[in-house]
Amino acid sequence: MATPDTLTAAQEAQLLVSRAEWEAIGRSTEPADRPTAEAAITALYAIAGKPKPLFFWVDGPAQGSLLISHVIRDDWETRTEADRQAILTARYPFPATIDTSEVRKHLSWGFWGQHEAYWAAYYDWPDRYVAKLYPDDLRHQLDQWVAIAKSCGWWHPYELAVVVCERPEIQTVDTEGRLHHDTGPAIRCRDGFEVYAWHGVRVPAKVITHPETITVAEITAETNQEIRRIMLTRFGHARYLRESGAVREQGDDTGDLYRATRTDDTDVVMVRVLNGSAEAIKTAEEVEGQDGTWVEAGWHKYYWLRVPPTVTSAREGVAWSYNVPVAEYENVLRT
Amino acid sequence: MVIGRSMAKTLMRPRLRLAASAPDERLVAITLWMVLVWEWEAFYSAYEETPW
């Protein structure tokens, strides 16, 4: 079939609309549309020449893997009703009474439902908006994959049964589409499984929820450079300098240069500068514990400028923060 | 009840046939930029690396 090699203006405009629609499908946190998902999955079984499977709905992949670890051991029939209910209602982290020893073997899922939206969108879009590409039987099959993407989360098929997950109840991304949340989980499944992420980098929960409890020792001990950078950001560069035994290397009339030497990573170098304007503060109690100092009757805040590790003077660092060479910075000061 | 073996490959085979009959290379190139990029790797790896 001849296919066009350019898009019309209307088709290009539609691409943007479609992309937004499919992003919303992939990031939906609505409860699953169970009738739609079951009909579509049953249709795929029919295409493969198989009868309708038995559906096991679970609140998320963690609960699903637990279920699969028991179902595919083929002992579902021999379990007590209490055991079955315990598995079907388990929430992550699982209680000690649940046997999770088999779960690790069953973490892989065949299909990702809404998280495979890119696949369905890619094959659906040109057929729908550019030119008819598929014979009726393939279009019918694609319709099922589209319906699944729009209706449920991860799923895995077996000969007689299929395990299907509810969609997560939280899914948040930053403006670049990376998993991110600055106060809570970026993903939380309905079975309790959570993922904490900072602009696409997975981090321990407390880095997000309780950054004030991070310690210098933990930052130093973290072997993953990306995670350590985020821990440092959450901890605060200025506080890190104060608490890590950073050395004051140099000082001049612009401020003081501090360096925290790190053996396996770039040094943290900052310039501490004093705000020229006093804060509207009347008593010492108001500023207790804050980073600043009294200059005669006025209280001034310190600001910390993170500068490149190659900087060797406070003046050079301040000039760098203005994006000008030191000589030019001197001229600015003079004029 | 014996649930039996995984059906993932069985369901995947017709899907691969569908993909094989899909857009020619030029149309793929045109539509490639609308392919949605998901950052779910963090989710997948978190899931598989969890100390169960």
Side-chain angles (χ1 to χ4, degrees):
Chain A
M1 178 187 305
T3 50
D5 57 5
T6 57
L7 296 180
T8 65
Q11 287 167 335
E12 289 201 5
Q14 180 60 44
L15 267 182
L16 299 179
V17 174
S18 298
R19 182 168 60 185
E21 288 172 357
W22 280 100
E23 281 176 347
I25 290 166
R27 294 168 189 163
S28 170
T29 53
E30 292 294 310
D33 175 353
R34 296 188 179 196
T36 297
E38 290 194 12
I41 291 171
T42 301
L44 290 182
Y45 270 71
I47 290 168
K50 302 289 182 183
K52 180 180 180 177
L54 182 64
F55 280 83
F56 285 98
W57 280 93
V58 291
D59 287 339
Q63 191 186 67
S65 289
L66 180 68
L67 176 68
I68 289 168
S69 72
H70 291 81
V71 167
I72 69 166
R73 273 161 47 184
D74 298 339
D75 64 355
W76 189 251
E77 282 289 286
T78 65
R79 291 192 163 266
T80 65
E81 187 57 31
D83 265 1
R84 296 181 186 183
Q85 283 307 313
I87 291 167
L88 284 170
T89 57
R91 281 182 61 81
Y92 183 85
F94 300 122
T97 51
I98 297 257
D99 172 14
T100 59
S101 59
E102 290 288 311
V103 172
R104 174 159 288 283
K105 301 174 190 170
H106 304 288
L107 300 180
S108 295
W109 290 71
F111 304 105
W112 297 332
Q114 69 177 146
H115 291 161
E116 282 190 294
Y118 64 90
W119 189 93
Y122 180 74
Y123 290 105
D124 179 70
W125 195 84
D127 184 60
R128 195 171 293 281
Y129 295 107
V130 180
K132 182 169 166 52
L133 296 172
Y134 315 114
D136 289 347
D137 61 329
L138 290 184
R139 180 66 241 186
H140 169 70
Q141 192 204 145
L142 180 56
D143 284 341
Q144 311 314 314
W145 290 104
V146 169
I148 291 168
K150 290 181 177 179
S151 60
C152 65
W154 295 9
W155 62 285
H156 195 94
Y158 294 94
E159 263 184 319
L160 300 178
V162 58
V163 182
V164 194
C165 295
E166 283 284 338
R167 290 183 273 225
E169 58 188 355
I170 294 174
Q171 298 194 79
T172 58
V173 294
D174 64 12
T175 53
E176 294 180 34
R178 300 172 299 190
L179 283 180
H180 175 79
H181 199 296
D182 55 11
T183 58
I187 285 189
R188 183 163 72 213
C189 299
R190 285 179 156 81
D191 61 6
F193 186 83
E194 296 176 329
V195 176
Y196 292 82
W198 184 265
H199 297 296
V201 178
R202 184 159 48 89
V203 295
K206 83 169 202 174
V207 173
I208 300 293
T209 57
H210 295 94
E212 73 283 359
T213 66
I214 299 171
T215 65
V216 168
E218 285 173 332
I219 295 172
T220 305
E222 176 55 57
T223 55
N224 182 305
Q225 201 169 332
E226 275 286 282
I227 295 176
R228 187 168 51 203
R229 179 182 60 78
I230 293 161
M231 290 171 83
L232 193 53
T233 301
R234 300 289 282 166
F235 186 82
H237 291 100
R239 187 175 151 214
Y240 183 77
L241 283 188
R242 283 197 303 273
E243 297 186 14
S244 66
V247 175
R248 179 182 173 278
E249 269 194 348
Q250 186 270 346
D252 52 42
D253 59 339
T254 62
D256 296 292
L257 183 78
Y258 286 81
R259 178 181 300 270
T261 305
R262 295 192 290 176
T263 53
D264 56 345
D265 203 352
T266 310
D267 289 353
V268 175
V269 180
M270 301 186 83
V271 176
R272 189 181 70 167
V273 295
L274 193 63
N275 190 4
S277 305
E279 304 297 312
I281 287 170
K282 299 284 187 283
T283 67
E285 286 73 28
E286 289 178 73
V287 295
E288 194 176 331
Q290 294 190 40
D291 196 20
T293 190
W294 292 94
V295 178
E296 296 174 350
W299 195 82
H300 297 246
K301 268 186 183 172
Y302 283 121
Y303 281 89
W304 291 83
L305 311 174
R306 177 92 193 260
V307 299
T310 52
V311 168
T312 57
S313 73
R315 182 174 299 275
E316 183 188 351
V318 173
W320 176 85
S321 74
Y322 283 103
N323 201 24
V324 296
V326 176
E328 199 173 319
Y329 176 66
E330 300 285 359
N331 284 335
V332 170
L333 287 183
R334 274 196 288 273
T335 55
Chain B
M1 179 180 66
V2 178
I3 298 301
R5 63 189 172 85
S6 170
M7 285 272 290
K9 286 181 181 171
T10 307
L11 298 192
M12 184 59 96
R13 272 194 292 274
R15 185 164 108 156
L16 294 178
R17 280 201 296 278
L18 188 153
S21 72
D24 73 6
E25 287 179 4
R26 286 177 302 170
L27 193 57
V28 168
I30 291 168
T31 56
L32 198 57
W33 65 269
M34 73 84 63
V35 173
L36 306 162
V37 178
W38 303 101
E39 287 282 337
W40 303 122
E41 286 85 353
F43 186 16
Y44 301 142
S45 58
Y47 186 67
E48 296 192 351
E49 291 166 13
T50 294
W52 298 93

